[in-house]
Amino acid sequence: MKTVLFLPLLQIPSGHHQAADALKEDLLAMAPQWQCHKVELLSSRLGQAEKLISSVYLQWIRHFPKTYSILYDQAVIRQKKAHLSFRYYEILFRRHIKNVVQHIQPDLIVCTHALPSYLLNRLKLSKEIANPVVNVYTDYFIHHLWGIEAIDYHFVGHPYMKTKLMKKGVPESRIFVTGIPIHPYITISKRKGQTERLCYSGLISGGSLGIGAFTELLKKISPNDPIDYYVLCGKNVQIYKQLQNENHPRFIPLPYISSRQEPIEITFLNL
């Protein structure tokens, strides 16, 4: 019997958790005798303080999205150093994550968030752990917080990401272009009562919070575009109502969907 440890971050239902849950369900469907553990780093280390941190984090993003974007960009995207050290993260979490790994003794560790990946990469470089570690990226880019050098395998969402990792020295044999994991409960179907059209379908998502450059992106889509765009607005009621009021012929806005079993009805072209 094998044991797999999944490491997302924060208790909020982010894409990091969704990816971990999707992989866990698929894995157990193939090997029900395996044991799967999902450990959230902040709550397991800080207890109830994680709820406060999550709340402040969400309020910050909702009310001051530009400052969040600027700081995030400066901290982990535009850094020029070849080997970054996030010392405060290590002080807070390095020993804790090592203890978690030693307690569970997993045969495989799956990181769906950059912070656990960074810490495990440091531990593997210093030979403190030897467990195989996989990075599962939930974005279409790779920022500097992700651990790279000592990570055993990388599951990426796009061939461009594979190229970037190879430039960083990762062997091609350790990189797999898999797309972003989708939970097996999520299904799509044709829209009821709608005649089939010669039109493709696209999906635009800003995550569970419905943030991102929606306005700029949607302005570029013509009413005559050959693609119908389903826009997942998450909990962003403002953008959902805005898209409804615009009544753009190519946009189908969808509010926050809490249940994976609830199908998203999509009209698509049979090729």
Side-chain angles (χ1 to χ4, degrees), residues 23 59 63 69 79 95 108 130 137 155 174 186 198 213 246:
L23 291 169
Q59 292 303 319
H63 298 293
S69 179
Q79 289 281 358
R95 180 179 294 181
L108 179 67
Y137 301 92
F155 292 0
R174 296 193 173 199
I186 296 175
L198 294 181
E246 285 183 7

Side-chain angles (χ1 to χ4, degrees), residues 117 120-121 124 133-135 147-154 174:
S117 169
L120 292 170
N121 188 63
K124 284 174 72 73
V133 179
V134 176
N135 280 354
I148 301 293
E149 304 97 318
I151 301 301
D152 297 275
Y153 296 102
H154 303 260
R174 296 193 173 199

